Amino acid sequence: MTISVGLVGAGPWAEMVHAPMLAAGPDTRLVGVWARRPEAAARFGVPVFKRVEELFDNCEAVAFSVPPAVQAELGVLAAKAGKALLLEKPLAADLDGARRLAGAVAEAGVPSQMVLTWRYSEATRAFLARVSALEPFGGHAANVSGALLGDFTSPWRLEHGAILDVGPHMIDMLDAALGRVVGVRAHGNPRGWVGLLLEHETGAISEASLCMSVPGETPPSHVDIYGRLGHQRLEGDRLGSDVFAVMLAEFAETVEHGGGHPLDAAHGLRLQEIIAAAERHLG
C-alpha cells in the first residue's frame, strides 16, 4: 500500500530530506505541501495549499518539517482532522506543547511516529541486540559538532542549544540500550556544553555529552555501552543511507494497519519530559 502524505514546511531540511524521500516512494506519495512561505514550497513540484486544513483534506497522513513550536500547534490540528502524523524531534518546544500534542494524538486515536533516525538503522538494531547480551550496567553517548556556528541553524536551536536538538537522539539511544530513564541530572550551558547523568530503571547509569558549538572537525557522534560481558560502540557515521526508507516503510505499515509504533508521540513526550527535567537543572 502507498499512503498519500502532505508535508508541512518548506525549509532547508524539508527540501533536502522530507520532500524528496516522501516523493520517492514506494511506500509514500507526496501529494501536497503547506508552508508559511508558499513561494518556497513551489519548488517541490506538488500542489501548494493556502490553508493547512486544505492540505489535510487531500492526504491520509501529514509529515512535519517545521520548528518544534509550530509542529506542536499544527500537529494538534492534524490529529483532530484524523490524520496520521510523522513527527520530527523534539515533539515540541516545551513540555506543555508536547503534552498537548501527545494528548491530541491519543484522544483522536491516530497513528504517529517520531523521526528518530538512529533507531531506523539496521546497524543500530544489530547494536541493540548485541548490547542486550552484555549484561549492561553503564554507557556514554556523545554528540559534538559545530552546527550552531554555521548557516544551517534556526532561532529555536540558538535558544535551546544541543539539549533540545540532538539530545532526543542520544537520550533515546541510551534509554533503548540500558532501560527506561527514570532520573536525570544536568550541568553546563545549553548553548555550549551540556552533560547529562541518567539513571535507568534497570539500575544502570549513563552519561551524555552534548554540544553544537565546537569549531573545526569533530569526531562522529557515538554511543558506548559497557557490561559485565564486554563493550559495544555504535558511531553515527555507520548508520547507513537507508534509514529514511526504513522509517517510511514502517510508517506506511503503521498507517495501513492502524496500530501503534514504539516510537510514537507518547515516546516523544517521554523524551521531552526527560529533557525538561534536565533543563530545570540548567536553570
Side-chain angles (χ1 to χ4, degrees):
M1 175 182 177
T2 300
I3 61 169
S4 59
V5 184
L7 177 60
V8 172
W13 197 243
E15 180 181 14
M16 290 190 299
V17 178
H18 288 75
M21 290 301 301
L22 290 166
D27 302 291
T28 57
R29 179 168 54 92
L30 182 62
V31 297
V33 61
W34 175 90
R36 287 174 291 184
R37 295 184 300 113
E39 66 278 7
R43 63 185 184 272
F44 295 162
V46 293
V48 178
F49 294 94
K50 293 183 178 180
R51 298 173 58 249
V52 72
E53 292 84 359
E54 293 174 344
L55 176 67
F56 298 161
D57 289 341
N58 285 275
C59 63
E60 300 169 81
V62 181
F64 291 85
S65 185
V66 289
V70 180
Q71 174 170 272
E73 176 187 352
L74 298 182
V76 168
L77 298 181
K80 289 182 177 179
K83 305 303 170 182
L85 309 182
L86 186 62
L87 298 159
E88 265 292 351
K89 57 79 202 163
L91 190 61
D94 54 36
L95 186 54
D96 286 343
R99 285 171 174 162
R100 286 193 296 272
L101 178 49
V105 169
E107 183 176 353
V110 294
S112 63
Q113 199 168 308
M114 297 293 297
V115 182
L116 292 163
T117 49
W118 282 61
R119 295 287 293 278
Y120 300 101
S121 166
E122 292 303 320
T124 297
R125 293 173 177 182
F127 168 78
L128 293 174
R130 292 195 303 271
V131 301
S132 66
L134 294 180
E135 298 182 17
F137 54 73
H140 176 249
N143 195 314
V144 178
S145 74
L148 291 183
L149 305 178
D151 296 329
F152 187 55
T153 186
S154 52
W156 71 268
R157 288 184 173 91
L158 293 172
E159 177 183 357
H160 294 277
I163 191 169
L164 195 60
D165 188 0
V166 298
H169 287 305
M170 299 296 96
I171 295 169
D172 176 58
M173 284 298 301
L174 292 169
D175 184 269
L178 294 171
R180 189 182 183 94
V181 173
V182 294
V184 58
R185 283 172 279 174
H187 61 95
N189 177 355
R191 287 162 294 283
W193 191 280
V194 170
L196 304 180
L197 179 64
L198 305 176
E199 302 171 13
H200 300 261
E201 64 180 359
T202 57
I205 300 293
S206 67
E207 296 159 303
S209 301
L210 310 171
C211 184
M212 298 170 67
S213 302
V214 176
E217 188 174 352
T218 54
S221 303
H222 59 270
V223 179
D224 289 283
I225 300 298
Y226 301 87
R228 293 175 180 83
L229 300 179
H231 157 257
Q232 289 286 337
R233 165 175 280 214
L234 176 65
E235 295 188 343
D237 61 354
R238 304 290 179 87
L239 299 182
S241 59
D242 62 343
V243 291
F244 281 93
V246 173
M247 178 186 69
L248 294 180
E250 292 186 8
F251 183 56
E253 184 176 357
T254 299
V255 173
E256 180 180 3
H257 296 291
H261 190 278
L263 305 180
D264 61 5
H267 183 74
L269 172 59
R270 192 162 69 81
L271 295 179
Q272 194 108 25
E273 289 171 340
I274 297 167
I275 291 168
E279 288 181 321
R280 288 195 290 270
H281 281 269
L282 299 174

